[in-house]
Amino acid sequence: MAGIRITRIDGKKVCDLGDSATQNFEDSTKPQDDRRIRATLYRKQQPWGTVDFYYHQPSNQASTPQLFLVSSLAVLCNLIIFSVLLRRSLAVLDTSKVVPTRVKNTLNTIPDGVVIIDAEGRVIVVNEAFQKSTDMTADELIGSGLEKIPFVPLESILPWTDPEKSSKTKNGVKAYLQRPDGDRFFTVGCSPIFDAEENHAGNLVSFQDITLLENQKRKIELTLKELGESKEQLRQQNEKLHELASKDMLTGVFNRRFLFEHMEHHWSTSLQQRLSLSVVMFDVDHFKKLNDGYGHAVGEQVLRDVSAVIRGSVPDNAIVGRYGGEEFCVILPNLDASLATQAAEKIRCAIQTKLEQPYHVTASIGVASNLADVTSYQMMIDRADKALYAAKHSGRNAVKCWSVEVETPIPGAPVHKPSTRASSRSSTQPTPALNTEKEIATMV
């Protein structure tokens, strides 16, 4: 019958197995013999206790099988204890101390951050560049996961969290890390590491610091945005300047210079495409009397009201301009003399109706179109002006379309004199075409 006793270093018995009543266990100073075996137990490289094995054997007779059994049991116990101690040691093992110095030195020469993680995602190797980028030490990083560091992906997902990280390499993923001294931007790559049996053992993760490049990119984007805003402001200012240059400040319609530019354009188009073109001349009746009786402020308001009524009554493609003083001119593309006369009559009625109070404002109107014998737009304007004079002579507040009768003076009627505002009224003869923009500007 065999027995086992485990005793701590301080002499306290831990357990007895088998025949614990034997006297051989009580005498700890008795040397070992063929019936009693003692082994020392260690913990953390320090003696922890002893284990004693005792078996019965007839005197003067050795039993080889029993001795082998006891020896095997002792070896098994030591293996179990050794395995427990080894597992605990590995759990707290500092991997940074077992990585060869030459490997660490090689990784530290790489300017980009390099991290090696195991299959479970725990950091086992990290170089100095990564520590500097994250402002963390190797002791803080090793043994933990990269999720401890608050990286934010700018696209896709962080590669070391990708389900395919064990089989595929993924590069070029942008991520940033918020830091008190400013955000740091990285291009992240992740490659799998395999063991000798081609099993996934971990991943090598690289971090290329692109903070400087990203900051420059953002500055360029901001500059381009500011340039775009400046360009838009410049465009708006140019539009305002163009409007100021092209519009009459009092009435808001085109001034005389730009009226002639539009007239020249539409005249050329009508010749090339054989389209109808008409022009309508307006003159506010008794404007001088109104101006003298009520003052210039009232006269200016009447001109603004007349221009507003004209703009609200003409077709959308019509061009309205102030010809001079109390005179207005309207260009009517694609309308012949008959349709232009109808449009003019509509405007005349609108002026009479809407401006009846308080000054009884009316207008006399003359119409002309690009008939076959008209050789220039100045000639067409001259004919509209003569028709306007005929409307005034007939009693005002009327519309007259140019005809041969308009050219024939009525007996006893006052002679039509040239206007100081329009050189086109100088005679009944056709006015030669202006050949250059300089001549048009001089006329204006």
Side-chain angles (χ1 to χ4, degrees):
M1 187 70 178
I4 300 174
R5 170 176 293 178
I6 299 176
T7 308
R8 291 196 326 194
I9 195 69
D10 56 3
K12 183 177 180 180
K13 290 185 293 184
V14 176
C15 68
D16 283 327
L17 298 176
D19 187 5
S20 58
T22 178
Q23 302 260 333
N24 295 55
F25 281 150
E26 301 302 330
D27 188 1
S28 59
T29 60
K30 185 177 180 180
Q32 302 182 68
D33 54 25
D34 55 357
R35 292 179 298 170
R36 180 172 177 269
I37 300 175
R38 171 175 293 173
T40 303
L41 300 178
Y42 290 86
R43 183 178 183 182
K44 295 183 180 181
Q45 300 181 354
Q46 298 293 330
W48 178 82
T50 59
V51 56
D52 292 296
F53 300 92
Y54 178 80
Y55 62 93
H56 295 288
Q57 180 177 339
S59 57
N60 300 324
Q61 187 177 358
S63 178
T64 303
Q66 290 184 356
L67 180 61
F68 176 77
L69 177 63
V70 173
S71 300
S72 299
L73 185 60
V75 172
L76 179 61
C77 290
N78 278 281
L79 287 175
I80 293 174
I81 296 172
F82 176 76
S83 298
V84 172
L85 294 176
L86 181 61
R87 182 175 298 179
R88 291 183 178 180
S89 299
L90 290 176
V92 296
L93 182 64
D94 186 356
T95 56
S96 64
K97 295 182 179 179
V98 299
V99 177
T101 303
R102 61 180 180 276
V103 175
K104 292 194 293 184
N105 292 340
T106 301
L107 292 177
N108 290 335
T109 60
I110 301 175
D112 298 335
V114 177
V115 178
I116 299 177
I117 58 176
D118 61 17
E120 285 73 33
R122 293 173 298 192
V123 177
I124 57 176
V125 178
V126 59
N127 71 343
E128 292 180 353
F130 185 78
Q131 298 176 51
K132 184 177 180 181
S133 297
T134 59
D135 198 22
M136 298 180 70
T137 64
D139 292 338
E140 295 174 314
L141 294 169
I142 292 175
S144 62
L146 284 176
E147 63 273 5
K148 181 179 181 181
I149 309 172
F151 284 104
V152 180
L154 293 176
E155 56 190 34
S156 183
I157 60 175
L158 296 171
W160 61 85
T161 64
D162 194 323
E164 297 182 344
K165 68 178 181 179
S166 61
S167 58
K168 293 184 179 180
T169 298
K170 193 165 187 179
N171 295 315
V173 178
K174 288 186 177 181
Y176 73 93
L177 177 64
Q178 292 182 335
R179 289 184 47 173
D181 56 348
D183 295 347
R184 304 295 293 269
F185 295 87
F186 302 91
T187 298
V188 185
C190 184
S191 301
I193 300 174
F194 303 98
D195 58 18
E197 298 178 355
E198 295 299 322
N199 295 320
H200 178 236
N203 288 83
L204 187 146
V205 187
S206 63
F207 295 82
Q208 182 182 8
D209 194 328
I210 58 170
T211 303
L212 180 60
L213 182 62
E214 194 69 21
N215 289 338
Q216 291 177 345
K217 177 183 175 182
R218 294 194 173 190
K219 287 181 180 179
I220 292 174
E221 291 176 348
L222 180 60
T223 302
L224 291 176
K225 180 180 178 181
E226 292 175 349
L227 287 176
E229 293 174 352
S230 300
K231 182 180 179 181
E232 177 62 20
Q233 293 175 356
L234 183 61
R235 186 190 65 79
Q236 294 176 0
Q237 291 175 354
N238 286 336
E239 288 182 355
K240 291 180 180 179
L241 290 175
H242 183 269
E243 183 176 356
L244 291 174
S246 63
K247 296 297 181 65
D248 177 66
M249 297 298 296
L250 178 62
T251 61
V253 298
F254 285 107
N255 58 28
R256 181 168 175 147
R257 177 179 179 180
F258 277 81
L259 180 67
F260 272 90
E261 287 186 2
H262 284 287
M263 181 71 76
E264 185 176 15
H265 167 72
H266 286 289
W267 174 261
S268 300
T269 303
S270 66
L271 289 179
Q272 294 172 2
Q273 303 180 14
R274 297 183 179 182
L275 301 174
S276 297
L277 178 66
S278 297
V279 63
V280 180
M281 298 290 294
F282 295 80
D283 189 280
V284 180
D285 295 330
H286 303 295
F287 182 74
K288 185 177 185 305
K289 181 178 179 181
L290 179 70
N291 210 24
D292 293 342
Y294 294 97
H296 292 287
V298 171
E300 291 178 351
Q301 185 59 49
V302 168
L303 293 179
R304 283 192 289 266
D305 293 340
V306 170
S307 67
V309 172
I310 294 174
R311 282 184 292 177
S313 305
V314 296
D316 293 338
N317 63 342
I319 307 299
V320 182
R322 187 179 179 188
Y323 197 75
E326 70 275 14
E327 287 186 318
F328 295 87
C329 179
V330 178
I331 305 171
L332 297 173
N334 305 325
L335 294 185
D336 58 16
S338 176
L339 295 176
T341 301
Q342 295 178 21
E345 180 63 25
K346 177 183 176 182
I347 299 171
R348 184 198 66 77
C349 293
I351 293 175
Q352 181 183 9
T353 303
K354 295 180 180 181
L355 303 182
E356 172 67 19
Q357 300 296 333
Y359 304 113
H360 308 287
V361 178
T362 60
S364 298
I365 305 173
V367 181
S369 62
N370 59 340
L371 300 176
D373 60 336
V374 177
T375 58
S376 67
Y377 67 85
Q378 290 90 351
M379 183 177 179
M380 186 171 57
I381 293 175
D382 183 70
R383 287 184 173 186
D385 188 63
K386 291 177 180 178
L388 169 62
Y389 180 79
K392 278 186 171 293
H393 181 72
S394 65
R396 294 183 172 84
N397 191 23
V399 176
K400 289 290 183 179
C401 182
W402 182 91
S403 64
V404 177
E405 290 76 12
V406 171
E407 290 281 1
T408 305
I410 300 175
V415 179
H416 178 45
K417 297 181 180 180
S419 171
T420 58
R421 296 185 301 271
S423 61
S424 60
R425 296 188 185 183
S426 59
S427 68
T428 59
Q429 300 299 323
T431 303
L434 298 180
N435 296 322
T436 65
E437 184 177 334
K438 182 178 180 181
E439 293 177 4
I440 296 176
T442 304
M443 180 179 177
V444 177

